[in-house]
Amino acid sequence: MKKRIIYYLLVLMTVMSCKVDTSSKSVLLKIDLEPSSASNAKGTAIFTELNKIVSLDVKMQGLKPGTHGIHIHEKADCSATDASSAGGHWNPTFKPHGKWGSISCHKGDIGNLIANEDGNAMLSVDTAEWCIGCGDSTKDILGKSLIIHQDADDYVSQPSGNAGARIACSGIIR
């Protein structure tokens, strides 16, 4: 009996000495992109936040083969048939449109994804420039939308990269 009590005390002391890291909380958000502008484009996007890094993984189908712009827009509203209700590119820092990762670009300027001959495309991005539900208006992507465009983003034309019609849209909401 004495040995058993000592054993339980040792186990309890070991458990109590372990530190739990609560800073590595993971947040996961999956959205479905639906066709707009009479397209057949649809897909899914998964946003994951871990240790203050947001990862975005997009899988699309029904695209025309080639390059398509992908951006985060101002509002989680895809109700208009052409997705114009989503507003312009999300730009909380008031910078000119540009290429992802450059010093001068919108927070929503993700860039381009490339569809293969079957109309399928995938894209993965990691960034510390976004958060999911943190409340920081310059980083929080909740309440915005993710949009796939008909054409490539040229990274130069203002204010949106001349990427053409919005062919798939989803609100970034829980």
Side-chain angles (χ1 to χ4, degrees):
M1 179 74 159
K2 207 177 207 181
K3 287 182 183 180
R4 185 176 278 171
I5 292 172
I6 292 172
Y7 171 76
Y8 286 121
L9 284 173
L10 287 173
V11 170
L12 181 61
M13 287 173 39
T14 303
V15 170
M16 290 176 66
S17 68
C18 293
K19 291 183 179 179
V20 178
D21 182 7
T22 58
S23 66
S24 62
K25 180 179 162 190
S26 178
V27 179
L28 177 75
L29 179 64
K30 180 182 177 191
I31 60 173
D32 294 317
L33 290 128
E34 298 294 332
S36 58
S37 301
S39 80
N40 294 317
K42 63 182 178 177
T44 60
I46 298 173
F47 293 92
T48 308
E49 183 175 2
L50 182 62
N51 296 325
K52 298 187 180 186
I53 301 294
V54 174
S55 299
L56 168 62
D57 292 296
V58 179
K59 292 182 181 176
M60 294 296 299
Q61 59 190 27
L63 298 169
K64 289 184 181 176
T67 307
H68 302 271
I70 178 172
H71 306 107
I72 294 177
H73 284 247
E74 299 171 310
K75 303 173 197 164
D77 182 356
C78 299
S79 61
T81 58
D82 63 356
S84 60
S85 51
H89 289 188
W90 176 48
N91 185 16
T93 54
F94 307 101
K95 294 189 176 183
H97 177 74
K99 188 171 184 175
W100 176 261
S102 67
I103 292 171
S104 183
C105 67
H106 302 157
K107 292 273 182 132
D109 288 343
I110 299 171
N112 289 310
L113 55 88
I114 300 172
N116 65 18
E117 62 188 31
D118 296 323
N120 300 319
M122 294 189 320
L123 177 75
S124 293
V125 173
D126 296 321
T127 184
E129 294 296 317
W130 302 338
C131 67
I132 303 171
C134 70
D136 180 342
S137 64
T138 65
K139 295 181 87 168
D140 199 343
I141 60 172
L142 284 182
K144 313 299 182 267
S145 61
L146 185 64
I147 291 185
I148 310 298
H149 291 269
Q150 175 179 303
D151 301 317
D153 183 332
D154 66 13
Y155 304 123
V156 177
S157 301
Q158 299 299 321
S160 60
N162 198 31
R166 302 167 183 200
I167 59 171
C169 183
S170 179
I172 304 172
I173 53 178
R174 291 185 200 243

